[in-house]
């Protein structure tokens, strides 16, 4: 079989839930504060994947206005019961401190493209919900339990309760069926059944460099569960120099010919500070069943290269993407939090028009539309038509992680109304205070402005050009690695769960919704000597 190099879903694509229906494979991944919610990919060969839908696309399903950074949609679970698709997800409203406000929902659809139903509320006792369809027709809901008292554990264990399809609610007693191992922080549960055994797959150790997937089994769905002979199915916690790091949270799938694969969360740290700019990605490992247990072919430590049925189209991965916005917003792009996109943008007719709203980094309504960074080195270019009147109106091109970590080249105006270019940057400042990294550059008061980002590994540099003029560097070389989980504020990789984006934004702090028109957006992957992979 052909060999591919992990990840299979590059860039911010964490917490994979995999499913096969016939010859079609689907993976659902977390989208956190980015709207629409849940990213579903499709493949026929486990090597080549394309985003086919983001099902949580309307206000009745998801409204994340006010959700802090790295909250929103956590750890979806995608299943099929022979009749329809089921998608379970959490909308997290708070993550810092002792409390988690995490609300769990279910939506269904007859086909992966939809239509997806309005949500059924399930519970709020913890996050990472999953739904298991037993062979007797019963359905079981599992999620981790959160105990703000830490008595004895903050991550209290895995709760099991029956879900009644007729009543659309949980019924019967709730039972804590598994409290995890000494690694602690048990979460991400999935249930399976094979040869009379119930198998429970969980994630442990947090989502940083101590991450792991733990496997257990029981003859009864409600336990007790005995641990796998090696405890953890996959982890890189004891292999700090392995190419695939932060490995844990995963799911299992079987091919039509009976092979077993395991998909899991991973990260690719680069540089001396071990920062994962591309965020938490999805990897795949070949597995096999022996003596009633699942084992990875690579052993516990995840492999960088894995045999799969298909041959990946590497040319497509390295191809330049040009977006002309002729037919609306391309599927590569998302925006932040709001289910009312008409208030922040309209796309079509060859341009993306943003309506200036709140400041960049707002948790409520900011006009920021972006796509994932999926390569360690790339160029991004865009042309901007914008006529600001003062310093409270600005629009431009940004490399963005969250409100505490971004680099932003803006077209704005001074208080005298004269246009200028200004770099705004925040690098893990706990208050989100701007570092104005370079003196402003005056530009003509009318005319198009072209903006460009060049990223080469950890090097991040802005450029600009007037009309058809030559590119001119502006400002210092910035640190691209600050746009990473590890640099996110607060809590580093244990409190920040997304990845770097590149896109366009507009703010009007005067409240007049001044429009900014963007055309000819280009994302160009670059092969560079500084890249490890």
């Amino acid at each position: 079989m052909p060999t591919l190099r992990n990840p299979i879903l590059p860039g911010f694509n964490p917490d994979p839930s995999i499913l096969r229906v016939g010859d079609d494979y689907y993976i659902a991944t977390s989208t956190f504060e980015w709207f629409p919610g849940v990213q579903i990919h499709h493949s026929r060969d486990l090597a080549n994947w394309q985003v086919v839908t983001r099902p949580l696309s309307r206000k009745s399903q998801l409204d994340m206005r006010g959700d802090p950074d790295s909250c929103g949609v956590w750890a979806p679970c995608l299943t099929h019961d022979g009749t329809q698709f089921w998608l379970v997800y959490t909308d997290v409203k708070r993550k810092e401190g002792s409390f988690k406000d995490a609300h769990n929902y279910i939506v269904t659809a007859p086909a992966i493209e939809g239509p997806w139903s309005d949500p059924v509320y399930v519970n709020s006792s913890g996050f990472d919900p999953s739904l298991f369809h037993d062979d007797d027709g019963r359905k079981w809901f599992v999620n981790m339990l959160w105990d703000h008292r830490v008595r004895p554990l903050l991550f209290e264990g895995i709760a099991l309760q029956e879900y009644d399809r007729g009543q659309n609610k949980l019924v019967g007693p709730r039972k804590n069926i598994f409290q995890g191992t000494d690694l602690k922080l048990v979460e991400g549960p999935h249930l399976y059944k094979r040869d009379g055994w119930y198998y429970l797959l969980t994630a442990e150790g947090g989502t940083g460099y101590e991450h792991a997937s733990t496997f257990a089994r029981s003859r009864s769905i409600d336990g007790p569960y005995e641990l796998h002979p090696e405890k953890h199915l996959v982890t890189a916690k004891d292999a700090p120099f392995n190419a695939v790091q932060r490995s844990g949270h995963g799911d299992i799938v079987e091919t039509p010919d009976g092979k077993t694969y395991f998909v899991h969360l991973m990260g690719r740290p680069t540089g001396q500070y071990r920062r994962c700019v591309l965020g938490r990605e999805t990897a795949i490992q070949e597995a096999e069943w022996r003596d009633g247990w699942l084992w990875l072919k690579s052993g516990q430590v995840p492999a960088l290269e894995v045999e799969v049925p298909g041959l990946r189209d590497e040319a497509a991965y390295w191809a330049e993407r040009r977006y002309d916005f002729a037919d609306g917003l391309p599927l590569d792009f998302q925006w932040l939090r709001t289910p009312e996109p008409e208030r922040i943008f309209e796309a079509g007719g060859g341009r993306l028009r943003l309506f200036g709203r709140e400041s960049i980094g707002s948790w409520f309504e900011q006009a920021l539309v972006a796509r994932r960074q999926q390569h360690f080195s790339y160029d991004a270019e865009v042309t901007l038509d914008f006529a600001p009147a003062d310093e409270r109106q600005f629009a431009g091109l940004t490399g963005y992680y969250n409100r505490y970590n971004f680099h932003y080249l803006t077209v704005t105006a001074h208080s005298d109304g004269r246009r200028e270019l200004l770099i705004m940057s925040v690098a893990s400042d706990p208050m989100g205070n701007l570092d104005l990294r370079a003196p402003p550059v005056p530009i003509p008061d009318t005319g198009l402005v072209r903006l460009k980002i060049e990223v080469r590994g950890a090097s991040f540099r802005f450029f600009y050009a007037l009309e058809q003029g030559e590119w001119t560097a502006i400002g210092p070389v910035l640190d691209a690695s600050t746009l990473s989980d590890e640099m996110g504020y607060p809590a580093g990789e244990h409190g920040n769960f997304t990845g770097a984006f590149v896109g366009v934004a507009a703010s009007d702090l005067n409240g007049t919704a001044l429009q900014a028109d963007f055309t000819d957006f280009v994302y160009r992957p670059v092969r560079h000597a500084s890249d490890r992979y």
Side-chain angles (χ1 to χ4, degrees), residues 62-262:
L62 185 66
D63 188 344
M64 297 184 290
R65 287 173 290 193
D67 287 11
D69 295 319
S70 287
C71 288
V73 177
W74 287 17
C77 173
L78 180 66
T79 59
H80 194 275
D81 65 355
T83 302
Q84 64 181 358
F85 289 92
W86 296 71
L87 180 68
V88 187
Y89 63 96
T90 307
D91 180 9
V92 178
K93 300 299 185 183
R94 172 182 173 174
K95 68 179 181 67
E96 301 303 332
S98 295
F99 294 100
K100 291 281 190 295
D101 293 311
H103 309 306
N104 296 319
Y105 303 92
I106 294 175
V107 293
T108 59
I112 201 68
E113 298 83 5
W116 288 89
S117 69
D118 280 345
V120 172
Y121 170 75
V122 183
N123 67 16
S124 300
S125 56
F127 47 85
D128 291 4
S130 180
L131 189 65
F132 171 66
H133 312 279
D134 209 341
D135 52 19
D136 62 0
R138 300 172 77 181
K139 299 184 187 300
W140 298 90
F141 194 87
V142 287
N143 61 270
M144 66 79 66
L145 282 171
W146 184 264
D147 186 349
H148 56 276
R149 309 165 305 161
V150 196
R151 200 163 74 195
L153 298 167
L154 188 64
F155 288 64
E156 186 180 348
I158 303 303
L160 172 78
Q161 194 169 2
E162 186 172 1
Y163 180 78
D164 187 301
R165 180 65 179 94
Q167 300 182 66
N168 285 333
K169 68 176 186 179
L170 298 175
V171 297
R174 182 182 74 193
K175 183 176 181 181
N176 188 336
I177 61 171
F178 185 68
Q179 290 190 298
T181 72
D182 56 342
L183 192 56
K184 298 183 180 179
L185 309 181
V186 64
E187 57 187 343
H190 290 294
L191 279 167
Y192 314 89
K193 192 174 186 181
R194 179 186 175 93
D195 297 333
W197 289 98
Y198 289 94
Y199 291 91
L200 178 64
L201 177 69
T202 64
E204 290 193 285
T207 192
Y209 292 93
E210 297 297 308
H211 205 26
S213 279
T214 302
F215 206 48
R217 71 180 185 183
S218 173
R219 287 294 187 184
S220 174
I221 194 168
D222 62 353
Y225 281 84
E226 62 173 308
L227 284 172
H228 190 283
E230 291 193 355
K231 190 184 308 185
H232 305 304
L233 190 60
V234 66
T235 184
K237 66 185 180 65
D238 301 316
F241 300 108
N242 192 58
V244 177
Q245 287 290 317
R246 300 180 62 179
S247 300
H249 196 127
D251 200 0
I252 300 164
V253 71
E254 290 196 354
T255 66
D257 60 358
K259 292 185 181 297
T260 304
Y261 285 89
F262 175 69

Side-chain angles (χ1 to χ4, degrees), residues 436-456:
L436 302 179
R437 298 304 302 265
V441 174
I443 58 174
D445 291 333
T446 60
L448 303 178
V449 183
R450 295 158 61 211
L451 307 175
K452 179 180 180 181
I453 292 171
E454 285 189 2
V455 171
R456 301 294 183 268

